[in-house]
Amino acid sequence: MSRFFINRPIVAMVIAILTVIVGVIAMLMLPVAQFPDIVPPEVTVSATYLGADAQTIEQSVAAPIEQQMSGVDNMAYMVSTNSNNGGMGLRVTFEVGTQPNTNLILTQMREALAATQLPADVNNFGVVVRKATSVPLMMISLYSPKGTRDRNFLANYAYINMVDELARAPGVGDVMVYGGRYAMRIWVKPDQLAKLQVTVADIVRALREQNTVNPAGQIGSEPVPEGQEFTYTVRAQGRLITAEEFGRIVIRANRDGSVLRLNDVARLELGAESYNIYGRVNGQPAAVIPVFQLPGSNALDTAENVRSVMSRLKQRFPDDVDYLVSLDTTLPVTEGIDEIVLTLAEALFLVALVTYLFLQDWRATLIPLLAVPVSLVGTFIFFPIFGFSVNTLSLFGLVLAIGLVVDDAIVVVEAVQRHIEEGLAPKAAALRAMEEVSAPVIGIAIILAAVFVPTIFVPGITGKLYQQFAITVATSVLISAFNALTLSPALASLLLRHKRESRGPLAAFFRGFNRAFHRGRNGYVATCAALIRKSALALLMLGACAFLAGWFGSRIPTGFLPEEDQGYFLLSVQLPNAASLQRTDVVIRKIEDVVKAMPAVETYTSVSGISFLSGVPN
């Protein structure tokens, strides 16, 4: 194979160029994250039973859904939370490696089986099934800088004008609003209901019958007498809007001709749909909008898309309304990847420096420098096949691979250079060298790949975490071996010449370096010869090193992943059962006062009445 590419070097170059182009395209299309996707997929089922307590919801809503959900394919476990504010949340966790879309479909099918057993009010309000992520990708706070807008206005504006726009941004999986939108609040008077013998069910029935959208037909539509010139579409009054219109709803018509209206037995006002959540940013009332990432999407691109959408939406904001990105979990990812890319560049520079230092020929140094990027970039071609992402572990694998993939090219260059020094022409030297080193290059590549490939079979989350690191190194080594059999000998036959003696300060430096290197090499060889003669001492030293490594290793703190500063922290506060929302908010305000006094804090956002762990008011 090497002879073919030495005789046709353009073919080798074209293959290398195509490898780089395809690798770059694949890299740009890959999702970017801090770590591989090792979190078990989750699907949430949420329902609302207005006015019900936690026990009622558990018996009438959660129990039927859980019974049908038990045994769904690939489910690991499920947890449900029922609260006294009428909400039910069921979180179904599936095995690592399962497809989120398939899990969602299976969950929806099981929920549909339980729909007939749920109360009619729950089905009318809607049961929501969606893919879940535990922590939002970003958190946006909509606030009023001058304080002229209350939290109800801000939340309602976010619901109407922002949620749909953000949900359509590429990579966004879900958008929520922590706050209540506008709604018509009807506060009934129990004494009046008892006196007039009216029930709440009568009021609900009147609302459903009279607050509707009714088609009114057309006037002058066919068939009509000849000569009809106009056809009018009749538009009847739609849903009611103001409190006065709701107050005129007829609840009952009495026999004496009098009419009982809603404002006779209730007080009506335009308020919030829910008063269970208080949101603030930097101490000011706000509508807090968490944005969740679509599983498998590019986190950095998604965050950029969200920021672009918010910049466009800001141009239409009413007076005294602004927003603040109070949480962006992609910032540490960006910083970490930038550091790794810098390390990658530094490693490549050191490889070039060391290669030039030992080969002492810029032509010989150029060949490994051209071969290494081909091996590294070409590795990204296989990422979509394995479902990998660009993350810290895969990039760390590339950093480690630099020192491995450069060896193949150096072996080829040194072998060709030696035959050139012996008097062969560059092309003949390349052919002779490849006859000697092809088998060792292939053998080394297979051995190195065999060291990392078994990681594929490690089960559980740990195996999933380190698979990308191992396969990245193994793939880059195999591509490097292919380059050593194709690109490197082709370039060597074109670039290498008989080495000329260096002159000037550089020559003096190389002579000094070579003398020091030869002394070090001779000392190393002498040490190896002594240890070979005294094999018992060598084995004793090896055993001592193994013992010390095990002893120190057992005393090093263990952990699943190294702790890193993410630039933010989450604090969850839970009060005793039955604690009111106002009591909870008082505690949150005290915490805000402490956080506000910290100089390092750039911004802080609080949400009273809900957390990532539960939805209870306390």
Side-chain angles (χ1 to χ4, degrees), residues 523-601:
Y524 172 75
V525 171
T527 303
C528 290
L531 291 176
I532 290 174
R533 290 192 298 270
K534 301 177 180 180
S535 57
L537 178 61
L539 293 176
L540 182 63
M541 294 173 60
L542 181 62
C545 292
F547 173 78
L548 291 175
W551 187 80
F552 284 111
S554 63
R555 281 156 177 76
I556 296 176
T558 60
F560 182 57
L561 287 172
E563 293 185 1
E564 295 186 65
D565 182 11
Q566 302 298 311
Y568 65 92
F569 65 88
L570 304 176
L571 175 64
S572 180
V573 180
Q574 184 169 351
L575 273 69
N577 289 333
S580 66
L581 181 59
Q582 294 184 13
R583 178 180 171 187
T584 303
D585 198 55
V586 170
V587 176
I588 298 299
R589 287 182 179 273
K590 293 180 179 179
I591 296 175
E592 289 179 348
D593 293 338
V594 176
V595 173
K596 181 170 58 177
M598 298 179 179
V601 175

Side-chain angles (χ1 to χ4, degrees), residues 409-449:
I410 291 177
V411 167
V412 173
V413 168
E414 286 186 330
V416 176
Q417 188 73 49
R418 179 173 63 85
H419 287 293
I420 291 176
E421 297 297 331
E422 292 176 354
L424 292 179
K427 185 174 182 179
L431 291 172
R432 178 72 61 82
M434 295 312 299
E435 292 176 357
E436 299 172 351
V437 302
S438 293
V441 167
I442 296 174
I444 292 174
I446 294 175
I447 291 173
L448 288 175

Side-chain angles (χ1 to χ4, degrees), residues 245-449:
E245 292 175 347
F246 275 90
R248 291 195 292 267
I249 289 178
V250 177
I251 298 176
R252 184 177 65 199
N254 300 319
R255 293 181 179 180
D256 58 1
S258 61
V259 176
L260 179 64
R261 299 185 183 276
L262 183 57
N263 56 12
D264 296 327
V265 294
R267 174 174 57 86
L268 297 92
E269 66 177 9
L270 183 64
E273 182 183 44
S274 173
Y275 292 95
N276 295 328
I277 298 176
Y278 293 162
R280 281 190 300 276
V281 58
N282 296 336
Q284 293 182 279
V288 181
I289 309 169
V291 179
F292 295 88
Q293 180 187 357
L294 186 68
S297 61
N298 190 319
L300 302 185
D301 287 348
T302 302
E304 184 62 30
N305 294 334
V306 171
R307 290 181 179 273
S308 176
V309 170
M310 290 305 302
S311 299
R312 187 174 69 253
L313 292 176
K314 184 177 180 180
Q315 300 175 3
R316 305 198 304 262
F317 279 0
D319 294 337
D320 196 26
V321 173
D322 203 353
Y323 79 95
L324 178 68
V325 179
S326 49
L327 173 64
D328 187 352
T329 60
T330 64
L331 296 180
V333 178
T334 304
E335 292 294 329
I337 291 179
D338 288 345
E339 290 294 328
I340 294 177
V341 171
L342 178 61
T343 303
L344 202 61
E346 293 172 347
L348 194 60
F349 171 75
L350 291 175
V351 165
L353 180 63
V354 172
T355 303
Y356 181 69
L357 187 62
F358 281 89
L359 298 181
Q360 300 174 8
D361 183 5
W362 70 267
R363 291 175 177 270
T365 305
L366 185 61
I367 296 174
L369 287 184
L370 294 175
V372 168
V374 176
S375 302
L376 299 182
V377 177
T379 306
F380 290 107
I381 298 175
F382 299 90
F383 275 36
I385 300 175
F386 296 111
F388 289 172
S389 62
V390 178
N391 53 68
T392 53
L393 289 181
S394 58
L395 292 178
F396 275 139
L398 291 179
V399 172
L400 175 62
I402 290 179
L404 301 177
V405 301
V406 73
D407 291 341
D408 295 330
I410 291 177
V411 167
V412 173
V413 168
E414 286 186 330
V416 176
Q417 188 73 49
R418 179 173 63 85
H419 287 293
I420 291 176
E421 297 297 331
E422 292 176 354
L424 292 179
K427 185 174 182 179
L431 291 172
R432 178 72 61 82
M434 295 312 299
E435 292 176 357
E436 299 172 351
V437 302
S438 293
V441 167
I442 296 174
I444 292 174
I446 294 175
I447 291 173
L448 288 175

